[in-house]
Amino acid sequence: MDDAAPRKGTVTQRAVEEIKAMIAEGRLEPGQRLPTERELAVRLGMSRSSTREAIRALTVMGVLDARHGSGIYVGTLEAGDLLETFGVVADLSRGPRLAELLQVRRILESAATALAAARITDERLAAVKAHLTAMHATDDPEEILAHDLAFHREIASAAGNATMAAILDGLSSRTFRARVRRGRQEQDAIARTRREHAAIHRALAARDPEAARAAAAAHVGGVEEWLRGGAGG
């Protein structure tokens, strides 16, 4: 066997890149049906098996959408769909990797909150306030967590960057946040969460981007510091 011959994985990856290029260059548009497997293989200059594997991989990624009985279509290419697996990484990570993800979240959350302070509407600010009020009105950890997540989603949406909001949603997934919260119960996590969220809301209400950035950084940074101290397990 020729050692220079490309391995199947390499050929399949090339097919993946070629199909992605067709989408990026507008030769295939969101919602458009792909050519048949045979036609696409000819167009790519690759075998049908490599083309089939590439289609399967892109379907798993959310780039392509397999519709039973209809064919394969280019997906909507919305950030939330393409980044859906990102939340799984956050859910399954532990120890140093979990701390690294929190560092990423701190950086993005700070930027998103600062943008939101400059752009937030009165209506969305009222929604943020409603979730804060609900967090103070209950001692049920599940209810608090639900409003905690909604609080941050409203802010991320107010920042006006859908891709950033999708990444933050993955980093702030329910399982991820609940696991961190359980580990911090002895440190009065609920009371601390309420205080930190109130500080973020005050900065948003004041339309003060730098204060909002600092409040968000402090909010996530406390958990990050705790995990880096070896409590993340």
Side-chain angles (χ1 to χ4, degrees):
M1 184 175 179
D2 185 356
D3 288 340
R7 297 185 301 276
K8 183 175 178 60
T10 303
V11 176
T12 299
Q13 184 58 38
R14 202 168 88 236
V16 166
E17 295 303 321
E18 289 288 343
I19 296 171
K20 284 164 60 180
M22 293 171 70
I23 296 170
E25 294 166 8
R27 288 178 281 155
L28 287 172
E29 297 285 352
Q32 181 179 341
R33 183 178 176 177
L34 259 65
T36 66
E37 185 182 287
R38 182 191 298 274
E39 293 170 337
L40 189 57
V42 170
R43 190 180 298 186
L44 296 174
M46 297 179 188
S47 69
R48 288 185 64 178
S49 63
S50 293
T51 302
R52 185 181 307 119
E53 289 299 320
I55 290 172
R56 184 176 296 130
L58 287 166
T59 300
V60 171
M61 292 179 208
V63 175
L64 300 179
D65 178 21
R67 302 179 190 175
H68 184 68
S70 178
I72 308 293
Y73 292 77
V74 179
T76 60
L77 307 183
E78 293 291 335
D81 296 330
L82 296 176
L83 293 167
E84 188 173 333
T85 56
F86 196 64
V88 177
V89 176
D91 285 345
L92 300 180
S93 294
R94 1 182 7 249
R97 186 174 300 161
L98 186 61
E100 287 179 0
L101 287 171
L102 271 167
Q103 182 180 48
V104 174
R105 183 184 161 214
R106 172 171 51 80
I107 294 166
L108 292 181
E109 191 96 50
S110 300
T113 308
L115 283 171
R119 300 174 176 177
I120 197 164
T121 62
D122 289 342
E123 182 180 11
R124 199 173 288 279
L125 183 62
V128 171
K129 174 66 173 178
H131 290 299
L132 178 63
T133 300
M135 288 172 65
H136 280 80
T138 180
D139 291 321
D140 184 329
E142 284 298 313
E143 287 186 29
I144 291 172
L145 180 61
H147 287 292
D148 182 339
L149 289 166
F151 177 96
H152 288 287
R153 285 190 183 119
E154 288 287 353
I155 294 171
S157 295
N161 186 315
T163 302
M164 186 186 294
I167 294 172
L168 281 169
D169 198 45
L171 287 171
S172 305
S173 68
R174 188 177 182 85
T175 304
F176 173 69
R177 295 280 286 280
R179 183 152 52 90
V180 171
R181 176 70 49 72
R182 280 198 298 272
R184 297 183 74 210
Q185 285 300 323
E186 292 181 3
Q187 299 184 25
D188 194 20
I190 290 176
R192 179 172 180 170
T193 292
R194 287 170 174 159
R195 290 194 302 270
E196 291 170 349
H197 283 73
I200 292 170
H201 175 262
R202 283 195 299 273
L204 292 173
R207 266 59 175 194
D208 187 335
E210 289 312 309
R213 186 191 306 276
H219 174 49
V220 183
V223 183
E224 183 190 343
E225 182 180 348
W226 174 78
L227 282 172
R228 288 194 183 281

